[in-house]
Amino acid sequence: MLKVLRPAIVSFLLLSLLTGIAYPLLVTGISQVTMPGKANGSLIMKDGKPVGSSLIGQSFSDPKYFWGRPSATGPMPYNAASSGGSNLGPTNPALMDAVKARVQALRDADPGNTQPIPVDLVTASASGLDPHISPAAAEYQVARVARVRNIAPDAVRKLVAEHTEGRQFGILGEPRVNVLALNLALNAETGTH
Amino acid sequence: MSANGLLQIAMFLGVLLVLAKPLGWYMARVYEGKLPAFVGWMAPAENLFYRLCGVDRKQEMRWTQYAMATLWFSLLGVLAVYALQRLQGLLPLNPQGLGAVTPDSSFNTALSFVTNTNWQGYGGESTMSYLTQMLGLAVQNFLSAATGMAVLAALIRGFSRHTVDTIGNFWVDMTRSTLYILLPLSMVLALALVSQGVVQNFSAYQNVPLVESVSYDQPKLDASGNPIKDAAGNSVTEKVVVNEQTIAVGPGASQIAIKQLGTNGGGFFNVNSAHPFENPTPFANFLELLAILLIPAALCYTFGSMVGDTRQGWAILVAMMLMFVGFLAVGEYAEQQGNPAFTAMGVDQASSATQSGGNMEGKETRFGIVNSVLWATATTAASNGSVNSMHDSYTPLGGLVPLVQIQLGEVIFGGVGCGLYGMLVFAVIAVFLAGLMIGRTPEYLGKKIEAFDIKMASLVILIPPMLILGGTAVAVMLDVGKSSIFNPGAHGFSEILYAFSSAAGNNGSAFAGFGANTPFYNSALGLAMFFGRFWLMIPVLALAGSLAAKKRIPASVGSMATHTPLFVGLLIGTVLLVGALNFVPALALGPVIEQLNMIGLH
């Protein structure tokens, strides 16, 4: 018994120190020295204060802003202290009701727009914190934002293009638009808050 | 599927295959004790480690001793993780002041991480202190993976040795797996992930102002904390306006690197690798995906190298790859089709240059359909279980793919160590079936396969379905079992089936709407994880011991070659047939009915 217990206990303690303390501290040390911005949450700073994270979305429902992906976090959308998806199944009536309501809200905010709605704009993201929408979802909203803000659609379209990221290295992932960064830029451009 | 989608998949599989050989070669050297020069400088530290532990590196173990060492070591892990969760409120590195985790949830999580399952009944950022995550969960990410790799090394020695009664030294195999394989790879991956935006710090959660404030209704409470009701008996609500966002951070990258490499899968945050801090960019996603399958694929080469015939390893790897591509194709097709109900509402689900389209409920924009399904297929082929999209919201056919892959025993790549030892057991069964068909004594790699070996192999193949189907049957008969269902109809049955499959298969992914954090499921799934891990590991070690003791028979004209396309086909057939015989009836009640419903409704 002792013959197996000593190696079990001592190796467990030593490997715990190595992998549970030394390893994360070393990674933290190197990251904090060489990449502090990334390691601390990619915060967007304005006048020395954080105004959001470029990786974490925020909730928008005012027609003057671009809206992001619907978020299923509780108790409020885009709760970055408690990530979560809707987990609604494909045949769940609650999913049908939710999508119908989102379609209706988009139509109500922009009655003249009869284009089909890009799917990412009416389906909840996995994390509830998705900072992006597809370029198609941004284009769908350009006319509305331009009208409410009383600026030319092409000026809005130009801002969208500036905040659109292509596939990484031209291959990986999907093209996408950062909603928070776009809305902050819209506010800066038109002087609203 | 778009040309870009095919390119992304081809690139992923190509890089995986290219890396399998060098890493596999390296791991074979590590387990044979012939360290290459670039890690040789660590040998004195390794020797000092053995001296402190009282281990004689050269003293080998019989299979029973090997199994006892595995079990004692795992038991210590369970006790440590349980204690850390129960005491975290009193311990340091807890800036959010999170309290003790409940006893049943702590029990479940302790077994979950020690068995390399990483099923999570809790939400990481709202439950576990930084200390618990690092010293409890991340340590087990390393040690449970190292344990699986050690057991595989022992089984390979069973094939490569003859007429001996020992299969290696558990302490040496486990320590080397950690020091020379898992730790260096994790270090590199963790830093690469931070460069993409994965968080790594010990700060309290960050508060940032919202551009547009958010309001929601919450039940109004009286002085003693009970909800106030109006005259009609409805709860009175009050409006809460929120102007700030609290952003959870923490030492994520170091833990995420090993959770992928060790096929553990337990997320730092609740939504795992769907969380933008856990998986921020498509390149981070590529690296994490690669990390899921890297070691399991490379171990095939290690196996070939250690038995002295690398063709044997490649044959197994080809069988895995073919099944993987088949399942991937089904999943990608099903998810890209989208949900027919949405099209009728005026929603555009078509794939184009400006959108991914498809069934985007529970998926992230940056990953789209291609990378979400690629991940779901990889994470359940391996016993990883991390997710970058919500499997519960997949179309029925799309959700069937991860479910079936888990039920096949996670032998398509599989977990580090345990995947390949599962596949080698299937190979033993395959040669046995072939032997029956042609009326010869079955042999594999020069070892005669006899009654005891087939009994052990049968245990490995029969115990998981027993746990999965038995557990599901019990759960659907009990009210406590049914009350955790989240989605109605056939999908609800799939949720329970998925939970038991994931637990018994030591996968850890979930149909996550399912309310698993109840005393019933914490206990039942905890036991399924325990038996699913150790009741397979012990027969595998017994098989290793039995094989090592046998004489080696030289190959003759009557021997079946086990590196040919014919054998690859036979192996795939065996895996699929055993899986189909066990699970088709259960699958018919869940995803199959739901798929018919979904089409039938429109």
Side-chain angles (χ1 to χ4, degrees):
Chain A
M1 181 73 97
L2 196 68
K3 201 160 160 270
V4 64
L5 270 188
R6 178 175 164 201
I9 293 171
V10 179
S11 69
F12 183 75
L13 291 178
L14 288 176
L15 290 174
S16 292
L17 289 178
L18 183 66
T19 61
I21 303 280
Y23 158 71
L25 288 183
L26 186 61
V27 175
T28 309
I30 297 175
S31 311
Q32 289 292 338
V33 170
T34 59
M35 309 171 264
K38 304 264 191 191
N40 290 324
S42 308
L43 297 176
I44 306 171
M45 305 302 278
K46 195 178 166 192
D47 308 327
K49 284 193 186 135
V51 294
S53 163
S54 62
L55 292 177
I56 303 290
Q58 293 188 5
S59 173
F60 293 99
S61 56
D62 190 317
K64 73 178 177 187
Y65 289 119
F66 280 89
W67 298 358
R69 300 287 305 276
S71 162
T73 60
M76 66 282 202
Y78 287 92
N79 179 359
S82 182
S83 55
S86 77
N87 285 310
L88 293 172
T91 54
N92 191 330
L95 176 65
M96 305 308 144
D97 294 344
V99 173
K100 254 183 217 144
R102 291 164 190 157
V103 167
Q104 197 55 48
L106 282 160
R107 297 265 189 241
D108 288 349
D110 192 10
N113 191 344
T114 54
Q115 302 167 55
I117 301 174
V119 64
D120 57 314
L121 215 43
V122 294
T123 46
S125 64
S127 62
L129 307 173
D130 193 343
H132 301 115
I133 52 176
S134 67
E139 176 57 33
Y140 178 85
Q141 302 184 70
V142 162
R144 182 194 76 218
V145 172
R147 194 184 66 245
V148 176
R149 288 187 179 249
N150 228 341
I151 46 178
D154 279 344
V156 177
R157 215 163 263 135
K158 186 164 154 282
L159 277 181
V160 170
E162 282 167 16
H163 291 88
T164 303
E165 293 169 70
R167 294 197 159 98
Q168 207 168 1
F169 316 130
I171 298 174
L172 295 174
E174 303 292 332
R176 56 210 182 277
V177 181
N178 190 308
V179 179
L180 175 61
L182 174 60
N183 283 331
L184 286 171
L186 264 176
N187 278 354
E189 180 102 349
T190 55
T192 49
H193 294 287
Chain B
M1 175 175 299
S2 68
N4 168 269
L6 289 174
L7 181 64
Q8 292 198 52
I9 291 168
M11 199 169 103
F12 170 69
L13 295 177
V15 171
L16 180 66
L17 280 179
V18 166
L19 292 177
K21 184 172 169 179
L23 181 62
W25 173 87
Y26 170 68
M27 290 193 287
R29 299 290 89 72
V30 168
Y31 290 120
E32 286 169 341
K34 302 178 216 151
L35 292 179
F38 59 91
V39 289
W41 57 273
M42 282 166 73
E46 188 195 341
N47 288 333
L48 174 68
F49 181 89
Y50 296 139
R51 259 211 303 287
L52 291 171
C53 299
V55 168
D56 178 0
R57 182 160 66 85
K58 298 209 172 65
Q59 193 178 6
E60 295 222 335
M61 298 173 169
R62 285 194 297 279
W63 80 262
T64 44
Q65 294 167 312
Y66 206 102
M68 284 312 285
T70 311
L71 291 175
W72 276 110
F73 189 66
S74 302
L75 176 68
L76 280 180
V78 173
L79 294 177
V81 177
Y82 183 84
L84 275 169
Q85 293 177 84
R86 299 289 294 144
L87 300 174
Q88 68 175 9
L90 311 172
L91 295 171
L93 280 181
N94 186 3
Q96 297 308 118
L98 297 165
V101 183
T102 60
D104 56 295
S105 175
S106 302
F107 164 80
N108 181 284
T109 303
L111 279 172
S112 170
F113 278 73
V114 171
T115 58
N116 201 260
T117 309
N118 299 37
W119 171 270
Q120 294 173 295
Y122 60 88
E125 62 270 51
S126 54
T127 315
M128 299 292 176
S129 76
Y130 292 165
L131 188 77
T132 309
Q133 295 254 26
M134 280 166 52
L135 198 54
L137 306 184
V139 165
Q140 282 309 317
N141 283 351
F142 279 99
L143 301 186
S144 66
T147 301
M149 293 164 81
V151 171
L152 172 68
L155 178 62
I156 297 177
R157 289 193 194 104
F159 287 110
S160 67
R161 295 174 171 187
H162 58 96
T163 47
V164 292
D165 59 358
T166 61
I167 52 173
N169 182 313
F170 171 75
W171 306 114
V172 173
D173 290 337
M174 184 274 297
T175 305
R176 286 190 174 151
S177 304
T178 310
L179 287 184
Y180 295 121
I181 301 167
L182 295 172
L183 205 49
L185 286 175
S186 300
M187 193 76 204
V188 173
L189 180 61
L191 292 173
L193 291 179
V194 175
S195 81
Q196 296 298 303
V198 176
V199 289
Q200 180 73 26
N201 58 58
F202 288 97
S203 317
Y205 296 174
Q206 302 274 350
N207 284 321
V208 299
L210 288 174
V211 175
E212 182 187 333
S213 59
V214 175
S215 63
Y216 65 96
D217 293 327
Q218 75 172 19
K220 204 168 176 172
L221 304 179
D222 63 18
S224 54
N226 297 316
I228 299 175
K229 306 248 165 129
D230 64 12
N234 297 319
S235 296
V236 180
T237 58
E238 58 187 346
K239 208 170 209 49
V240 183
V241 178
V242 184
N243 294 308
E244 263 193 343
Q245 189 180 38
T246 300
I247 300 181
V249 290
S254 54
Q255 189 167 332
I256 292 157
I258 181 61
K259 82 148 190 206
Q260 297 302 100
L261 283 164
T263 58
N264 296 282
F268 189 82
F269 298 106
N270 184 35
V271 288
N272 211 299
S273 281
H275 196 294
F277 280 162
E278 194 148 338
N279 193 0
T281 65
F283 184 54
N285 189 68
F286 181 84
L287 292 175
E288 290 183 25
L289 257 174
L290 195 60
I292 295 178
L293 297 184
L294 179 62
I295 295 179
L299 280 171
C300 294
Y301 188 87
T302 306
F303 162 69
S305 171
M306 285 175 77
V307 299
D309 181 1
T310 50
R311 294 173 308 177
Q312 304 291 341
W314 287 118
I316 302 262
L317 187 57
V318 167
M320 291 176 170
M321 195 62 102
L322 289 175
M323 284 191 274
F324 182 81
V325 170
F327 281 111
L328 178 65
V330 174
E332 296 279 5
Y333 171 80
E335 289 307 294
Q336 191 65 62
Q337 292 305 301
N339 193 325
F342 295 171
T343 309
M345 297 176 200
V347 173
D348 178 11
Q349 298 184 86
S351 164
S352 73
T354 55
Q355 73 160 3
S356 144
N359 175 24
M360 284 298 286
E361 180 72 23
K363 296 192 180 67
E364 299 279 293
T365 310
R366 61 194 178 285
F367 306 137
I369 298 296
V370 172
N371 282 296
S372 297
V373 177
L374 185 55
W375 187 295
T377 311
T379 197
T380 51
S383 76
N384 185 284
S386 64
V387 296
N388 77 352
S389 58
M390 296 294 120
H391 295 183
D392 214 351
S393 296
Y394 272 42
T395 61
L397 201 53
L400 177 89
V401 166
L403 183 55
V404 167
Q405 287 200 110
I406 297 172
Q407 292 172 341
L408 292 180
E410 288 157 334
V411 292
I412 308 171
F413 298 107
V416 291
C418 50
L420 184 55
Y421 69 61
M423 192 58 145
L424 292 176
V425 166
F426 269 107
V428 166
I429 297 284
V431 295
F432 173 67
L433 292 178
L436 286 181
M437 284 188 267
I438 56 175
R440 292 189 69 96
T441 313
E443 6 173 311
Y444 186 47
L445 304 174
K447 292 296 174 76
K448 200 185 272 181
I449 305 297
E450 292 166 303
F452 179 80
D453 311 307
I454 290 298
K455 278 181 197 158
M456 292 302 116
S458 304
L459 282 177
V460 173
I461 284 176
L462 291 177
I463 285 171
M466 208 174 77
L467 294 169
I468 295 168
L469 298 173
T472 305
V474 170
V476 295
M477 285 189 293
L478 298 176
D479 287 335
V480 285
K482 284 181 288 191
S483 61
S484 289
I485 290 176
F486 177 67
N487 283 293
H491 197 93
F493 177 78
S494 303
E495 286 181 347
I496 297 181
L497 184 63
Y498 199 105
F500 278 98
S501 300
S502 178
N506 292 158
N507 184 276
S509 67
F511 274 9
F514 186 66
N517 196 359
T518 65
F520 172 74
Y521 278 111
N522 278 329
S523 313
L525 297 175
L527 292 174
M529 291 188 266
F530 173 81
F531 292 125
R533 172 81 164 177
F534 295 107
W535 279 19
L536 303 196
M537 211 174 240
I538 295 169
V540 165
L541 286 169
L543 180 62
S546 156
L547 290 169
K550 289 176 200 281
K551 283 192 298 228
R552 177 171 295 138
I553 322 161
S556 68
V557 283
S559 314
M560 186 176 68
T562 50
H563 59 267
T564 56
L566 178 70
F567 181 73
V568 169
L570 183 66
L571 183 57
I572 293 175
T574 308
V575 171
L576 296 180
L577 187 69
V578 169
L581 287 175
N582 282 322
F583 293 107
V584 162
L587 292 168
L589 293 175
V592 174
I593 288 190
E594 198 189 10
Q595 178 76 22
L596 296 175
N597 277 341
M598 190 176 83
I599 300 167
L601 284 173
H602 299 277

